[in-house]
Amino acid sequence: RLTALLERIMVNAEDKDKYMMVCHAPAQVTMAGHEGDDAEYMGVYELNGEVVHDGPLYVKSSGAEGYLYRNNRPTPDRLGKWMVSDDREGVDGSNENTGFFLSAEAAELPSKPGLVWQYSESSWHDEPGITCT
């Protein structure tokens, strides 16, 4: 199954970096550690083979519709940070990148050990209990 996903990405030699990124990305990650509002976006996210904003796209496997992706907005300081959202158009960049959870720093993968996550409640607040593994 992963081979088929990688073949969809590897269209030409220019896509080599994207191909390599997906090769090194875990097939699934688990967001955990948040309770209360928006807790339905915690759970398992599966690699779907798409690359958006120079990062692999993960889609929530069950429950609430959710996407885990690298943000592409340079302002307000979100470039390269990972975000959890329910807005597919925002993932593609058609709408403002909005979401519920945001990594506190840019990272190649959302499962980077020690990556701090933030929760949006009118502004972004560190929530060290959130993990992506």
Side-chain angles (χ1 to χ4, degrees), residues 2 4 51 66 68 91 109 113:
L2 185 57
V51 175
L68 174 60
V91 170
L109 293 171

Side-chain angles (χ1 to χ4, degrees), residues 58-120:
Y58 289 88
V59 178
K60 194 160 185 302
S61 62
S62 64
E65 181 177 1
Y67 305 94
L68 174 60
Y69 68 100
R70 274 183 88 178
N71 201 299
N72 70 334
R73 299 283 184 194
T75 55
D77 188 33
R78 293 185 189 165
L79 188 62
K81 294 181 179 181
W82 288 87
M83 178 169 273
V84 173
S85 176
D86 65 348
D87 180 11
R88 175 61 188 184
E89 291 181 8
V91 170
D92 294 331
S94 304
N95 291 337
E96 179 69 26
N97 290 146
T98 59
F100 310 107
F101 305 101
L102 179 71
S103 65
E105 65 183 63
E108 184 175 320
L109 293 171
S111 54
K112 175 184 173 183
L115 189 61
V116 174
W117 287 84
Q118 300 175 322
Y119 172 66
S120 177

Side-chain angles (χ1 to χ4, degrees), residues 20-84:
M20 293 306 295
M21 181 184 310
V22 173
C23 284
H24 293 99
Q28 70 178 29
V29 296
T30 301
M31 295 290 301
H34 177 78
E35 297 178 4
D37 289 346
D38 303 320
E40 66 266 27
Y41 297 101
M42 296 287 105
V44 175
Y45 286 77
E46 296 178 343
L47 190 66
N48 82 337
E50 291 180 59
V51 175
V52 292
H53 316 306
D54 296 323
L57 174 64
Y58 289 88
V59 178
K60 194 160 185 302
S61 62
S62 64
E65 181 177 1
Y67 305 94
L68 174 60
Y69 68 100
R70 274 183 88 178
N71 201 299
N72 70 334
R73 299 283 184 194
T75 55
D77 188 33
R78 293 185 189 165
L79 188 62
K81 294 181 179 181
W82 288 87
M83 178 169 273
V84 173

